[in-house]
Amino acid sequence: SSPAQAAPGARAMPIPYEATYPDDVVALVDAIAPCWKKSADEAQVDPDRLFKTLKGIVDKVRKIPDYEEVDKDLQALLALVTATDWFTSKQVEEIDGWLEEVASPEEEDWVKNFPEEETTQAVMDGLHAREASVTVDKIAKVVVIEYEEGSYGQGKHSGEVRIGEDVRIYDSRYQGQYMYSNDELPSSPSDLQWCLESQNWAWGWEQDEG
């Protein structure tokens, strides 16, 4: 191409939207680095396409059975893109979550200590619930156990137990409130059952979190 077709300071290479993990991570960094301070229009970036590319990369990392060592190249890529102004606030929130997930893989290990069947039974026994089901939020690093017809001594109700930085009970009768355990964070389903049967709980309010 002739010099007249290239604007001064233009990006040297197009964004490789078809990038995959791990082969193309460095190429993405190389393409974004020269223009990360520019607007999406100036940088000729399609934010939605790039977001989809990044999501595909993170999804592939999540499927790696033993992702225990931080991938510094991927960490650099996500840190770079979250510093741009190309994405919506919701997209930035997701990218920040991916960055935290990629940067601290060892924190994922505790989730493996809560197998679905044993964790379900712990909540059913600990709260005398009729049934329960487990889901794992790998981004937020939270194990969520929804239950029906359970009780911690204040009547039957439905709700959920969340294990993360602490243990919380969300009683569906009290919107915007939750109970949190003052006992040591459980490291197994049996610990969780003991925790649920303990009386060492206090109330918290969602609006207090900032």
Side-chain angles (χ1 to χ4, degrees):
S1 61
S2 68
Q5 291 176 303
R11 165 162 44 80
M13 64 183 76
I15 301 292
Y17 295 108
E18 305 307 315
T20 58
Y21 183 85
D23 299 343
D24 305 314
V25 171
V26 173
L28 266 174
V29 174
D30 287 344
I32 293 167
C35 57
W36 70 280
K37 275 297 189 184
K38 298 179 181 179
S39 70
D41 285 342
E42 288 176 322
Q44 300 170 41
V45 171
D46 182 333
D48 289 335
R49 283 186 71 193
L50 179 55
F51 182 82
K52 187 176 179 181
T53 300
L54 296 170
K55 186 177 188 304
I57 286 173
V58 173
D59 284 345
K60 186 162 184 184
V61 170
R62 286 176 178 151
K63 292 175 183 174
I64 299 173
D66 298 305
Y67 178 71
E68 295 176 351
E69 185 175 342
V70 176
D71 185 325
K72 298 288 189 179
D73 293 337
L74 182 53
Q75 186 179 11
L77 171 62
L78 295 172
L80 185 61
V81 295
T82 196
T84 70
D85 63 359
W86 302 342
F87 303 98
T88 65
S89 56
K90 181 170 173 49
Q91 287 173 329
V92 170
E93 189 177 330
E94 283 202 62
I95 294 169
D96 285 343
W98 298 339
L99 177 57
E100 185 177 339
E101 183 180 355
V102 165
S104 51
E106 70 281 354
E107 293 183 18
E108 294 294 319
D109 290 346
W110 69 268
V111 173
K112 299 175 185 175
N113 297 331
F114 291 90
E116 183 175 348
E117 188 174 338
E118 290 91 335
T119 303
T120 298
Q121 195 62 49
V123 170
M124 290 176 67
D125 292 344
L127 293 176
H128 311 289
R130 181 170 61 84
E131 61 181 71
S133 61
V134 177
T135 55
V136 177
D137 185 335
K138 289 186 176 181
I139 293 293
K141 300 182 181 68
V142 176
V143 175
V144 179
I145 309 99
E146 296 183 39
Y147 61 87
E148 292 186 18
E149 295 182 24
S151 175
Y152 46 83
Q154 300 294 324
K156 289 281 186 182
H157 65 282
S158 295
E160 59 185 43
V161 175
R162 295 187 192 179
I163 313 167
E165 294 182 355
D166 56 11
V167 180
R168 298 182 181 185
I169 293 175
Y170 286 82
D171 184 331
S172 61
R173 297 172 297 182
Y174 306 111
Q175 296 299 314
Q177 295 177 256
Y178 58 86
M179 295 174 64
Y180 62 91
S181 172
N182 284 310
D183 290 315
E184 189 172 331
L185 192 65
S187 58
S188 68
S190 59
D191 287 350
L192 175 62
Q193 181 179 339
W194 182 90
C195 184
L196 293 171
E197 293 172 344
S198 165
Q199 300 297 310
N200 196 15
W201 293 78
W203 283 99
W205 288 262
E206 292 288 0
Q207 58 264 35
D208 287 348
E209 297 186 346

PDB file of all heavy atoms in Angstrom, residues 154-175:
ATOM      1  N   GLN A 154     -35.700 -21.352  61.676  1.00  0.00           N
ATOM      2  CA  GLN A 154     -36.662 -20.250  61.594  1.00  0.00           C
ATOM      3  C   GLN A 154     -37.787 -20.562  60.601  1.00  0.00           C
ATOM      4  O   GLN A 154     -38.317 -19.668  59.953  1.00  0.00           O
ATOM      5  CB  GLN A 154     -35.944 -18.955  61.171  1.00  0.00           C
ATOM      6  CG  GLN A 154     -34.858 -18.504  62.119  1.00  0.00           C
ATOM      7  CD  GLN A 154     -35.410 -18.089  63.478  1.00  0.00           C
ATOM      8  OE1 GLN A 154     -36.487 -17.528  63.569  1.00  0.00           O
ATOM      9  NE2 GLN A 154     -34.656 -18.384  64.533  1.00  0.00           N
ATOM     10  N   GLY A 155     -38.109 -21.840  60.438  1.00  0.00           N
ATOM     11  CA  GLY A 155     -39.205 -22.213  59.556  1.00  0.00           C
ATOM     12  C   GLY A 155     -38.722 -22.669  58.190  1.00  0.00           C
ATOM     13  O   GLY A 155     -37.649 -22.298  57.728  1.00  0.00           O
ATOM     14  N   LYS A 156     -39.543 -23.479  57.554  1.00  0.00           N
ATOM     15  CA  LYS A 156     -39.204 -24.020  56.237  1.00  0.00           C
ATOM     16  C   LYS A 156     -39.227 -22.923  55.174  1.00  0.00           C
ATOM     17  O   LYS A 156     -40.086 -22.045  55.184  1.00  0.00           O
ATOM     18  CB  LYS A 156     -40.204 -25.118  55.844  1.00  0.00           C
ATOM     19  CG  LYS A 156     -40.058 -26.407  56.640  1.00  0.00           C
ATOM     20  CD  LYS A 156     -38.907 -27.238  56.119  1.00  0.00           C
ATOM     21  CE  LYS A 156     -38.838 -28.592  56.806  1.00  0.00           C
ATOM     22  NZ  LYS A 156     -37.689 -29.386  56.327  1.00  0.00           N
ATOM     23  N   HIS A 157     -38.289 -23.004  54.246  1.00  0.00           N
ATOM     24  CA  HIS A 157     -38.189 -21.999  53.185  1.00  0.00           C
ATOM     25  C   HIS A 157     -37.302 -22.553  52.070  1.00  0.00           C
ATOM     26  O   HIS A 157     -36.650 -23.579  52.243  1.00  0.00           O
ATOM     27  CB  HIS A 157     -37.583 -20.702  53.719  1.00  0.00           C
ATOM     28  CG  HIS A 157     -36.162 -20.872  54.153  1.00  0.00           C
ATOM     29  ND1 HIS A 157     -35.813 -21.452  55.351  1.00  0.00           N
ATOM     30  CD2 HIS A 157     -34.984 -20.582  53.521  1.00  0.00           C
ATOM     31  CE1 HIS A 157     -34.504 -21.506  55.453  1.00  0.00           C
ATOM     32  NE2 HIS A 157     -33.967 -20.986  54.357  1.00  0.00           N
ATOM     33  N   SER A 158     -37.274 -21.844  50.957  1.00  0.00           N
ATOM     34  CA  SER A 158     -36.334 -22.152  49.879  1.00  0.00           C
ATOM     35  C   SER A 158     -35.266 -21.068  49.846  1.00  0.00           C
ATOM     36  O   SER A 158     -35.499 -19.934  50.273  1.00  0.00           O
ATOM     37  CB  SER A 158     -37.055 -22.220  48.528  1.00  0.00           C
ATOM     38  OG  SER A 158     -37.970 -23.294  48.509  1.00  0.00           O
ATOM     39  N   GLY A 159     -34.106 -21.396  49.323  1.00  0.00           N
ATOM     40  CA  GLY A 159     -33.032 -20.412  49.280  1.00  0.00           C
ATOM     41  C   GLY A 159     -31.783 -21.001  48.670  1.00  0.00           C
ATOM     42  O   GLY A 159     -31.842 -21.996  47.942  1.00  0.00           O
ATOM     43  N   GLU A 160     -30.650 -20.406  48.991  1.00  0.00           N
ATOM     44  CA  GLU A 160     -29.392 -20.946  48.490  1.00  0.00           C
ATOM     45  C   GLU A 160     -28.261 -20.706  49.471  1.00  0.00           C
ATOM     46  O   GLU A 160     -28.259 -19.724  50.219  1.00  0.00           O
ATOM     47  CB  GLU A 160     -29.042 -20.383  47.114  1.00  0.00           C
ATOM     48  CG  GLU A 160     -28.902 -18.892  47.032  1.00  0.00           C
ATOM     49  CD  GLU A 160     -28.682 -18.434  45.586  1.00  0.00           C
ATOM     50  OE1 GLU A 160     -29.361 -18.950  44.676  1.00  0.00           O
ATOM     51  OE2 GLU A 160     -27.816 -17.561  45.382  1.00  0.00           O
ATOM     52  N   VAL A 161     -27.319 -21.624  49.447  1.00  0.00           N
ATOM     53  CA  VAL A 161     -26.072 -21.494  50.214  1.00  0.00           C
ATOM     54  C   VAL A 161     -24.982 -21.134  49.225  1.00  0.00           C
ATOM     55  O   VAL A 161     -24.903 -21.732  48.143  1.00  0.00           O
ATOM     56  CB  VAL A 161     -25.721 -22.823  50.924  1.00  0.00           C
ATOM     57  CG1 VAL A 161     -24.355 -22.718  51.613  1.00  0.00           C
ATOM     58  CG2 VAL A 161     -26.795 -23.198  51.924  1.00  0.00           C
ATOM     59  N   ARG A 162     -24.166 -20.137  49.562  1.00  0.00           N
ATOM     60  CA  ARG A 162     -23.055 -19.754  48.691  1.00  0.00           C
ATOM     61  C   ARG A 162     -21.748 -19.885  49.459  1.00  0.00           C
ATOM     62  O   ARG A 162     -21.592 -19.332  50.541  1.00  0.00           O
ATOM     63  CB  ARG A 162     -23.212 -18.314  48.195  1.00  0.00           C
ATOM     64  CG  ARG A 162     -24.415 -18.109  47.300  1.00  0.00           C
ATOM     65  CD  ARG A 162     -24.429 -16.713  46.696  1.00  0.00           C
ATOM     66  NE  ARG A 162     -25.694 -16.395  46.065  1.00  0.00           N
ATOM     67  CZ  ARG A 162     -25.987 -15.244  45.485  1.00  0.00           C
ATOM     68  NH1 ARG A 162     -25.079 -14.286  45.461  1.00  0.00           N
ATOM     69  NH2 ARG A 162     -27.176 -15.041  44.941  1.00  0.00           N
ATOM     70  N   ILE A 163     -20.817 -20.615  48.862  1.00  0.00           N
ATOM     71  CA  ILE A 163     -19.485 -20.763  49.459  1.00  0.00           C
ATOM     72  C   ILE A 163     -18.499 -20.015  48.568  1.00  0.00           C
ATOM     73  O   ILE A 163     -18.376 -20.315  47.376  1.00  0.00           O
ATOM     74  CB  ILE A 163     -19.051 -22.236  49.532  1.00  0.00           C
ATOM     75  CG1 ILE A 163     -20.171 -23.112  50.100  1.00  0.00           C
ATOM     76  CG2 ILE A 163     -17.776 -22.381  50.365  1.00  0.00           C
ATOM     77  CD1 ILE A 163     -19.928 -24.596  49.909  1.00  0.00           C
ATOM     78  N   GLY A 164     -17.821 -19.030  49.138  1.00  0.00           N
ATOM     79  CA  GLY A 164     -16.832 -18.256  48.404  1.00  0.00           C
ATOM     80  C   GLY A 164     -15.794 -17.756  49.394  1.00  0.00           C
ATOM     81  O   GLY A 164     -15.098 -18.559  50.029  1.00  0.00           O
ATOM     82  N   GLU A 165     -15.706 -16.450  49.553  1.00  0.00           N
ATOM     83  CA  GLU A 165     -14.809 -15.896  50.576  1.00  0.00           C
ATOM     84  C   GLU A 165     -15.374 -16.134  51.963  1.00  0.00           C
ATOM     85  O   GLU A 165     -14.664 -16.036  52.960  1.00  0.00           O
ATOM     86  CB  GLU A 165     -14.591 -14.404  50.320  1.00  0.00           C
ATOM     87  CG  GLU A 165     -13.832 -14.119  49.033  1.00  0.00           C
ATOM     88  CD  GLU A 165     -13.573 -12.638  48.821  1.00  0.00           C
ATOM     89  OE1 GLU A 165     -14.065 -11.829  49.642  1.00  0.00           O
ATOM     90  OE2 GLU A 165     -12.880 -12.295  47.859  1.00  0.00           O
ATOM     91  N   ASP A 166     -16.672 -16.401  52.015  1.00  0.00           N
ATOM     92  CA  ASP A 166     -17.320 -16.800  53.260  1.00  0.00           C
ATOM     93  C   ASP A 166     -18.452 -17.752  52.892  1.00  0.00           C
ATOM     94  O   ASP A 166     -18.606 -18.126  51.737  1.00  0.00           O
ATOM     95  CB  ASP A 166     -17.826 -15.582  54.050  1.00  0.00           C
ATOM     96  CG  ASP A 166     -18.770 -14.702  53.226  1.00  0.00           C
ATOM     97  OD1 ASP A 166     -19.199 -15.132  52.128  1.00  0.00           O
ATOM     98  OD2 ASP A 166     -19.095 -13.579  53.668  1.00  0.00           O
ATOM     99  N   VAL A 167     -19.231 -18.174  53.888  1.00  0.00           N
ATOM    100  CA  VAL A 167     -20.403 -19.009  53.627  1.00  0.00           C
ATOM    101  C   VAL A 167     -21.641 -18.185  53.943  1.00  0.00           C
ATOM    102  O   VAL A 167     -21.736 -17.583  55.018  1.00  0.00           O
ATOM    103  CB  VAL A 167     -20.400 -20.291  54.493  1.00  0.00           C
ATOM    104  CG1 VAL A 167     -21.641 -21.134  54.205  1.00  0.00           C
ATOM    105  CG2 VAL A 167     -19.147 -21.099  54.239  1.00  0.00           C
ATOM    106  N   ARG A 168     -22.587 -18.153  52.991  1.00  0.00           N
ATOM    107  CA  ARG A 168     -23.790 -17.357  53.172  1.00  0.00           C
ATOM    108  C   ARG A 168     -25.026 -18.214  52.913  1.00  0.00           C
ATOM    109  O   ARG A 168     -25.014 -19.105  52.073  1.00  0.00           O
ATOM    110  CB  ARG A 168     -23.812 -16.157  52.226  1.00  0.00           C
ATOM    111  CG  ARG A 168     -22.668 -15.187  52.461  1.00  0.00           C
ATOM    112  CD  ARG A 168     -22.766 -13.991  51.523  1.00  0.00           C
ATOM    113  NE  ARG A 168     -21.668 -13.055  51.725  1.00  0.00           N
ATOM    114  CZ  ARG A 168     -21.559 -11.884  51.115  1.00  0.00           C
ATOM    115  NH1 ARG A 168     -22.477 -11.508  50.237  1.00  0.00           N
ATOM    116  NH2 ARG A 168     -20.542 -11.086  51.376  1.00  0.00           N
ATOM    117  N   ILE A 169     -26.087 -17.885  53.625  1.00  0.00           N
ATOM    118  CA  ILE A 169     -27.406 -18.447  53.357  1.00  0.00           C
ATOM    119  C   ILE A 169     -28.294 -17.312  52.873  1.00  0.00           C
ATOM    120  O   ILE A 169     -28.432 -16.286  53.554  1.00  0.00           O
ATOM    121  CB  ILE A 169     -28.027 -19.089  54.616  1.00  0.00           C
ATOM    122  CG1 ILE A 169     -27.230 -20.328  55.042  1.00  0.00           C
ATOM    123  CG2 ILE A 169     -29.491 -19.451  54.367  1.00  0.00           C
ATOM    124  CD1 ILE A 169     -27.716 -20.945  56.354  1.00  0.00           C
ATOM    125  N   TYR A 170     -28.849 -17.470  51.694  1.00  0.00           N
ATOM    126  CA  TYR A 170     -29.813 -16.507  51.161  1.00  0.00           C
ATOM    127  C   TYR A 170     -31.203 -17.124  51.297  1.00  0.00           C
ATOM    128  O   TYR A 170     -31.559 -18.050  50.561  1.00  0.00           O
ATOM    129  CB  TYR A 170     -29.502 -16.181  49.699  1.00  0.00           C
ATOM    130  CG  TYR A 170     -28.306 -15.291  49.522  1.00  0.00           C
ATOM    131  CD1 TYR A 170     -27.014 -15.826  49.542  1.00  0.00           C
ATOM    132  CD2 TYR A 170     -28.448 -13.918  49.334  1.00  0.00           C
ATOM    133  CE1 TYR A 170     -25.899 -15.011  49.379  1.00  0.00           C
ATOM    134  CE2 TYR A 170     -27.344 -13.101  49.176  1.00  0.00           C
ATOM    135  CZ  TYR A 170     -26.075 -13.650  49.197  1.00  0.00           C
ATOM    136  OH  TYR A 170     -24.971 -12.840  49.037  1.00  0.00           O
ATOM    137  N   ASP A 171     -31.980 -16.626  52.236  1.00  0.00           N
ATOM    138  CA  ASP A 171     -33.348 -17.084  52.489  1.00  0.00           C
ATOM    139  C   ASP A 171     -34.274 -16.284  51.574  1.00  0.00           C
ATOM    140  O   ASP A 171     -34.298 -15.050  51.622  1.00  0.00           O
ATOM    141  CB  ASP A 171     -33.677 -16.827  53.965  1.00  0.00           C
ATOM    142  CG  ASP A 171     -35.041 -17.356  54.377  1.00  0.00           C
ATOM    143  OD1 ASP A 171     -35.939 -17.427  53.520  1.00  0.00           O
ATOM    144  OD2 ASP A 171     -35.204 -17.666  55.576  1.00  0.00           O
ATOM    145  N   SER A 172     -35.028 -16.988  50.723  1.00  0.00           N
ATOM    146  CA  SER A 172     -35.872 -16.294  49.735  1.00  0.00           C
ATOM    147  C   SER A 172     -36.936 -15.405  50.377  1.00  0.00           C
ATOM    148  O   SER A 172     -37.506 -14.543  49.713  1.00  0.00           O
ATOM    149  CB  SER A 172     -36.549 -17.316  48.806  1.00  0.00           C
ATOM    150  OG  SER A 172     -37.369 -18.192  49.544  1.00  0.00           O
ATOM    151  N   ARG A 173     -37.193 -15.584  51.665  1.00  0.00           N
ATOM    152  CA  ARG A 173     -38.188 -14.749  52.352  1.00  0.00           C
ATOM    153  C   ARG A 173     -37.647 -13.359  52.668  1.00  0.00           C
ATOM    154  O   ARG A 173     -38.419 -12.445  52.947  1.00  0.00           O
ATOM    155  CB  ARG A 173     -38.630 -15.425  53.661  1.00  0.00           C
ATOM    156  CG  ARG A 173     -39.327 -16.765  53.464  1.00  0.00           C
ATOM    157  CD  ARG A 173     -39.561 -17.455  54.793  1.00  0.00           C
ATOM    158  NE  ARG A 173     -38.311 -17.778  55.482  1.00  0.00           N
ATOM    159  CZ  ARG A 173     -38.246 -18.412  56.649  1.00  0.00           C
ATOM    160  NH1 ARG A 173     -39.367 -18.818  57.261  1.00  0.00           N
ATOM    161  NH2 ARG A 173     -37.082 -18.675  57.217  1.00  0.00           N
ATOM    162  N   TYR A 174     -36.334 -13.208  52.640  1.00  0.00           N
ATOM    163  CA  TYR A 174     -35.719 -11.938  53.050  1.00  0.00           C
ATOM    164  C   TYR A 174     -34.851 -11.392  51.927  1.00  0.00           C
ATOM    165  O   TYR A 174     -33.636 -11.609  51.907  1.00  0.00           O
ATOM    166  CB  TYR A 174     -34.882 -12.138  54.318  1.00  0.00           C
ATOM    167  CG  TYR A 174     -35.663 -12.775  55.449  1.00  0.00           C
ATOM    168  CD1 TYR A 174     -35.366 -14.075  55.865  1.00  0.00           C
ATOM    169  CD2 TYR A 174     -36.696 -12.095  56.084  1.00  0.00           C
ATOM    170  CE1 TYR A 174     -36.083 -14.680  56.892  1.00  0.00           C
ATOM    171  CE2 TYR A 174     -37.409 -12.684  57.120  1.00  0.00           C
ATOM    172  CZ  TYR A 174     -37.101 -13.974  57.512  1.00  0.00           C
ATOM    173  OH  TYR A 174     -37.810 -14.566  58.530  1.00  0.00           O
ATOM    174  N   GLN A 175     -35.462 -10.710  50.972  1.00  0.00           N
ATOM    175  CA  GLN A 175     -34.742 -10.169  49.818  1.00  0.00           C
ATOM    176  C   GLN A 175     -33.762  -9.076  50.260  1.00  0.00           C
ATOM    177  O   GLN A 175     -34.087  -8.241  51.102  1.00  0.00           O
ATOM    178  CB  GLN A 175     -35.729  -9.600  48.795  1.00  0.00           C
ATOM    179  CG  GLN A 175     -36.661 -10.636  48.187  1.00  0.00           C
ATOM    180  CD  GLN A 175     -35.902 -11.722  47.437  1.00  0.00           C
ATOM    181  OE1 GLN A 175     -35.003 -11.432  46.661  1.00  0.00           O
ATOM    182  NE2 GLN A 175     -36.267 -12.984  47.671  1.00  0.00           N
TER     183      GLN A 175
END
